[in-house]
Amino acid sequence: MSDLPRLSLALNSTATTSALRLLVLSNGHGEDVIAVRILQELQQLSNPADIFALPIVGEGHAYQQLNIPLIGSVRVMPSGGFIYMDGRQLVRDVRGGLVQLTRSQIKAVRTWVNLQKKSGNKSAILAVGDIVPLLFAWGSGADYAFIGTAKSEYYVRDEVGLLQRKSKAARWESFSGSVYHPWERWLMSRPHCKAIFPRDSLTTEILKKWSIPAFDLGNPMMDGLEPSFPQGRFYGGDAEQEEIIRPLIVTLLPGSRPPEAYANWQQIMVAVASVMEISKRDYLSRTETMVFLGAIASSLDLNILSQSLLSQGWHLYSESPVQISDINALTFKSKNAYIILTQQAYNDCLHLGDLAIAMAGTATEQFIGLGKPAIAIPGNGPQYNFVFAEAQSRHLGSSLILVEQAAQVGSVVRSLFNDPDKLQAIADNGLRRMGKPGAARRIAQCLQERLG
């Protein structure tokens, strides 16, 4: 469908009695998911806005599942949206029609805004992601709000001050006093910009120095993560003994993008072997039983991962050592350890894990946001490479521990569980950097007040 029929359909798809027509712009699958969480909360408010969307990257399946009309052209680019990590990916996207797609999308946004004005509808734009949707929103001439998912002050500083980094490129990131550069702050401080929602409290505090309408309402990434079981462990009279005999549970996060995730899985299996070599006394007298929970994205083929396990000496096992909300989960056993592969119990995997072996973006941050440590192994990309992992480690601070080789993970696990003070500091750090649940609801209410 061309842009003009899409726009005509969008204009006439809902009644004109709504207080506001809201166009959502996002540039990535993760950004789409965050946007949809907020839109679901918006739809629950009284007199909700009529909502439209334009995913700048990808085809916007998250919007389509909510039956939100798309107003312009959408297309999957060769890079999948990771052009900022590799210049070669940008070249591939340009050859794949990126320039023409961007031009048509800018035109679609401006046409949509003009159609709303001619029809007498109050309209606004919600930009989710980085400077690209923010630029689209500013160029539209409409009122807009921005959810900044790509940047955090934690990339360049902590609560004490700037991080010590050697390269000139690293110092460039905060040359103007913020991880957000002057041109980005200029876009955030325009009269049409009604609200900015940064990722965390520290970033909000910094942005407010420039009279930017920044609101510290939390990070929607921590919403919707409730497990299938009651939260918190409730033991009987001998709580200490019950904790000792409980198995060590390690969550495995290989990422969601094939074929990269399959290569990540091979590295994670090396890490699993190194953890299995650790003796019982290294876990403060905890039982030798270990459980590895593989949180496997629906985009991956379980058969490929299963064959990898079987070839390494694991065998299928009929009983699971832990209860999760997936009757189709596959359990494998080797010596004193179990690996469970699930594509339906993601939240349970996050909550049950004592720590994670991680080669993922959003999943790693969500795990750490629950107050737990993660050990990361940089892969070969295009997503989870050294550049991405190093930046993520700055963002997440002490909660994310980078290792150069997968075989080093076991020694890191030993060190962690012999340092309870560090584990407590990691718990506090994760909660502070990722925020409390409920952000989507709070942001939706603020959007209605500021834009409606």
Side-chain angles (χ1 to χ4, degrees), residues 311-327:
S311 68
Q312 296 177 57
W314 295 79
H315 62 270
L316 277 168
Y317 196 73
S318 58
E319 297 182 14
S320 173
V322 296
Q323 298 301 310
I324 60 174
S325 59
D326 182 4
I327 61 174

Side-chain angles (χ1 to χ4, degrees), residues 33-321:
V33 172
I34 289 173
V36 163
R37 286 187 185 141
I38 295 165
L39 299 183
Q40 287 174 317
E41 295 294 342
L42 267 173
Q43 291 174 334
Q44 301 302 314
L45 301 178
S46 59
N47 195 24
D50 290 335
I51 300 169
F52 309 86
L54 178 59
I56 298 171
V57 173
E59 296 179 328
H61 295 298
Y63 297 115
Q64 295 177 40
Q65 290 173 1
L66 278 188
N67 294 319
I68 293 174
L70 305 184
I71 69 156
S73 298
V74 294
R75 190 186 309 169
V76 176
M77 288 286 109
S79 74
F82 296 113
I83 59 175
Y84 68 93
M85 282 179 270
D86 188 340
R88 292 171 296 181
Q89 300 288 343
L90 175 59
V91 172
R92 291 176 63 202
D93 281 6
V94 170
R95 290 174 178 171
L98 176 63
V99 175
Q100 295 89 334
L101 178 64
T102 301
R103 286 175 177 170
S104 70
Q105 289 175 334
I106 291 173
K107 182 178 178 181
V109 171
R110 290 175 177 172
T111 303
W112 184 87
V113 170
N114 289 334
L115 285 172
Q116 303 308 317
K117 290 179 179 179
K118 290 179 181 178
S119 301
N121 298 321
K122 181 176 177 58
S123 63
I125 291 178
L126 173 62
V128 183
D130 56 23
I131 192 173
V132 176
L134 181 59
L135 268 170
F136 275 43
W138 167 75
S140 73
D143 287 346
Y144 59 94
F146 175 58
I147 299 174
T149 65
K151 287 192 173 185
S152 166
E153 288 295 331
Y154 283 116
Y155 285 120
V156 298
R157 73 179 78 237
D158 57 20
E159 284 78 9
V160 177
L162 289 173
L163 303 177
Q164 294 298 316
R165 301 170 67 197
K166 297 179 180 179
S167 70
K168 292 181 179 180
R171 291 193 290 272
W172 161 257
E173 289 186 56
S174 59
F175 79 97
S176 66
S178 171
V179 71
Y180 280 107
H181 297 315
W183 47 92
E184 295 170 303
R185 301 198 302 264
W186 185 86
L187 294 171
M188 296 179 194
S189 61
R190 297 304 86 204
H192 280 298
C193 184
K194 302 302 180 182
I196 300 293
F197 304 102
R199 293 186 63 155
D200 47 67
S201 301
L202 180 61
T203 308
T204 306
E205 178 184 340
I206 296 294
L207 287 178
K208 283 185 174 179
K209 294 180 179 179
W210 289 277
S211 299
I212 289 169
F215 295 84
D216 181 20
L217 301 183
N219 190 337
M221 285 174 56
M222 297 310 298
D223 290 353
L225 298 180
E226 296 78 12
S228 64
F229 48 83
Q231 291 180 260
R233 294 191 175 96
F234 299 96
Y235 295 139
D238 195 352
E240 183 176 353
Q241 181 61 27
E242 290 188 54
E243 175 65 13
I244 288 175
I245 64 174
R246 183 177 68 81
L248 174 77
I249 301 179
V250 180
T251 300
L252 309 179
L253 303 172
S256 60
R257 178 182 171 134
E260 177 182 354
Y262 299 128
N264 291 349
W265 182 255
Q266 297 304 318
Q267 291 296 308
I268 287 174
M269 290 310 301
V270 174
V272 165
S274 75
V275 175
M276 290 172 62
E277 292 174 0
I278 304 300
S279 67
K280 182 168 76 173
R281 65 177 178 273
D282 291 311
Y283 291 115
L284 307 179
S285 300
R286 176 178 271 161
T287 178
E288 286 188 344
T289 302
M290 302 176 190
V291 178
F292 298 92
L293 288 176
I296 310 303
S298 59
S299 56
L300 302 183
D301 186 344
L302 278 186
N303 290 325
I304 295 177
L305 303 183
S306 297
Q307 288 300 318
S308 170
L309 291 173
L310 293 172
S311 68
Q312 296 177 57
W314 295 79
H315 62 270
L316 277 168
Y317 196 73
S318 58
E319 297 182 14
S320 173

